Amino acid sequence: MSHAIAVGDLPASTAEFVRGQGRARGLADPLAAVTHGLRTEEETMNRESRGGPTSQRFVVEMLLTPELLIVAHRQSDDADTDPGARVRFHRLDQVEIATDKGSEKAVTARLAMPAKSIPLTSRPLGGAKRATYQLPIAIDPDVQRFRDALAQAVEAARA
């Protein structure tokens, strides 16, 4: 499930976590210039041999500024309760959004059924090397608006 969000929709602990990680990377308040946001929530069920099924909840927030793509991952609604919570900051002028270079048939199929992820390559601030990420998303109008805004922002950052 994905939907558009604003900075005010972030849990307070998540917002402070993002700000703190931004400060650690030499950024002023990275949330001050957010223009678009998208939250994806996914719950997965796992079968266990004993005790029955268990579920895990994953939350990914993608926040876009004129200069950065901020991606926050956590397994709960609260960054304080998730020791594995992490945030990555990607400079838009370094982001490459993957596109399908396949046949016309493959492109037509992709347009009819959009991908469930946004593949992008970047070196996050503080990272040692470039990596490709599959940012999870769902198929709905909020997602398409975010994709369009991301593509336009990447293009503008390179201009």
Side-chain angles (χ1 to χ4, degrees):
M1 178 172 87
S2 294
H3 58 278
I5 61 168
V7 171
D9 297 326
L10 293 172
S13 62
T14 299
E16 186 50 40
F17 178 68
V18 170
R19 287 182 175 110
Q21 292 295 306
R23 284 189 298 272
R25 288 166 180 80
L27 301 172
D29 182 0
L31 299 179
V34 169
T35 59
H36 294 81
L38 187 70
R39 175 180 290 146
T40 298
E41 300 173 40
E42 181 179 342
E43 191 161 350
T44 59
M45 296 294 290
N46 298 319
R47 288 187 180 200
E48 296 215 357
S49 59
R50 298 180 188 176
T54 61
S55 67
Q56 287 185 314
R57 184 163 181 254
F58 299 94
V59 179
V60 177
E61 278 122 356
M62 294 175 274
L63 305 163
L64 186 61
T65 77
E67 297 177 357
L68 296 172
L69 171 64
I70 304 165
V71 183
H73 302 259
R74 60 184 191 285
Q75 288 187 329
S76 71
D77 286 327
D78 186 350
D80 285 343
T81 63
D82 181 5
R86 64 191 183 278
V87 63
R88 293 184 177 117
F89 302 91
H90 302 272
R91 292 213 184 276
L92 291 178
D93 61 352
Q94 296 180 6
V95 170
E96 296 172 17
I97 302 171
T99 58
D100 186 354
K101 301 287 188 201
S103 68
E104 185 176 317
K105 189 175 190 180
V107 171
T108 302
R110 191 187 90 233
L111 293 174
M113 179 61 110
K116 292 188 176 185
S117 64
I118 299 174
L120 64 90
T121 302
S122 176
R123 183 178 60 81
L125 290 177
K129 60 183 177 177
R130 293 173 59 81
T132 297
Y133 302 93
Q134 296 291 327
L135 303 177
I137 57 168
I139 301 168
D140 69 24
D142 285 345
V143 171
Q144 190 59 48
R145 281 189 288 277
F146 188 84
R147 281 181 172 182
D148 293 344
L150 177 59
Q152 290 171 2
V154 165
E155 189 175 314
R158 289 189 179 153

